Amino acid sequence: MNMRFLSILSALTLVALAIAVGTLATLWFRPRPLAAQTTGAPVRQITVVGEGKTNAPPDTALVQIGVQTDAPTAREALTANNTQMEALIARLKELGVAERDIQTSNLSIWPRYDNEGRQVVGYQVSNMVSVKIRQIDQAGELLDKVVDAGANNLGGIAFLIDDPSALQKSARDAAIADARQRAEAMAQAAGVTLGQVLAISETISSPPVYPMMMEARTAGAGGSVPIQTGEQTITAQVQMTFEIR
């Protein structure tokens, strides 16, 4: 019985040893990962920056329009301002400005002091709304009419392109073409040829919206407010990395 047990134990030991040897052999002789086979030779490459621009006239005006009122007490100043502002907003809607294009941008109340700056002599309330004018050719006439409706504070006007996506694509395409042209010129000068694109990134910039200060005009002073929209420039930059051979 003991001999039979020893035989079974020996057989199991041999099987376990064979499995261990087989596992070690598999781990030793299996193919190495590609990274391990690489000897460290870096990929030769060229990195360039290309630029593209697109110009177009703006199609939208953004105007800061408001009402400023003065009164001996804060309540009186606010009540007068509310009445005047409600009339102004109603007039904007009559002129075709959608409610979604009228947004309150500032509401403030502050005391007014005497010449010595010690005693409060009254209060001033200012309420400003940001108005998006989508019919830009009518911006001058609209501004003239809101002054008639009670606006006495025009904070500024800025021009923009409401949907610049098509212009951005045009600028991006021009930037990519410019980058490839630069890379080809560099490769030719260096005596190499371009391979595949290894990396690409972009930066697109639209002109910042700078509000231009305006002064409110008195009613009946003449024709519409003269507006010059100028032109907007959208710029795209791409950085491209090419393999070289």
Side-chain angles (χ1 to χ4, degrees):
M1 185 61 126
N2 290 336
M3 292 298 295
R4 184 178 179 185
F5 177 75
L6 290 175
S7 298
I8 294 173
L9 183 61
S10 298
L12 290 175
T13 302
L14 289 173
V15 170
L17 182 60
I19 292 173
V21 171
T23 302
L24 289 173
T26 300
L27 292 173
W28 181 262
F29 292 106
R30 70 179 180 179
R32 296 291 189 273
L34 183 60
Q37 292 177 355
T38 303
T39 58
V43 177
R44 298 196 304 163
Q45 59 190 38
I46 275 180
T47 298
V48 295
V49 175
E51 184 174 276
K53 294 182 179 180
T54 305
N55 298 320
D59 57 18
T60 305
L62 192 63
V63 189
Q64 302 296 319
I65 304 173
V67 172
Q68 184 171 297
T69 53
D70 295 272
T73 67
R75 168 51 60 189
E76 290 175 311
L78 182 60
T79 300
N81 193 283
N82 290 344
T83 301
Q84 205 165 330
M85 196 65 187
E86 288 173 359
L88 172 60
I89 292 174
R91 184 59 173 148
L92 285 170
K93 293 179 180 179
E94 289 176 1
L95 293 171
V97 180
E99 187 170 353
R100 65 189 175 96
D101 291 331
I102 305 173
Q103 184 178 54
T104 298
S105 57
N106 179 61
L107 176 61
S108 57
I109 304 176
W110 62 89
R112 291 189 298 107
Y113 294 90
D114 59 16
N115 294 333
E116 296 180 355
R118 295 179 180 179
Q119 184 176 355
V120 176
V121 295
Y123 289 85
Q124 188 174 80
V125 175
S126 177
N127 191 345
M128 299 290 292
V129 290
S130 177
V131 180
K132 183 176 286 188
I133 304 174
R134 298 182 185 272
Q135 295 176 309
I136 197 169
D137 57 329
Q138 300 178 13
E141 182 181 357
L142 184 144
L143 291 175
D144 192 64
K145 290 180 178 179
V146 295
V147 170
D148 293 341
N152 57 14
N153 190 359
L154 299 183
I157 183 170
F159 300 102
L160 59 133
I161 296 171
D162 192 46
D163 182 9
S165 56
L167 297 172
Q168 289 172 349
K169 180 182 182 304
S170 178
R172 183 189 302 114
D173 292 345
I176 291 174
D178 181 53
R180 183 173 289 276
Q181 184 179 7
R182 291 171 184 265
E184 289 173 349
M186 292 174 64
Q188 183 178 2
V192 296
T193 58
L194 291 183
Q196 63 181 339
V197 177
L198 300 177
I200 183 170
S201 61
E202 71 167 340
T203 301
I204 294 180
S205 61
S206 298
V209 179
Y210 292 125
M212 293 171 284
M213 299 307 295
M214 301 179 62
E215 294 182 359
R217 300 181 337 107
T218 57
S224 300
V225 177
I227 298 295
Q228 298 296 317
T229 61
E231 195 173 60
Q232 302 284 293
T233 300
I234 292 179
T235 303
Q237 278 192 341
V238 296
Q239 178 174 297
M240 299 182 69
T241 300
F242 295 86
E243 179 187 10
I244 57 174
R245 304 183 182 119

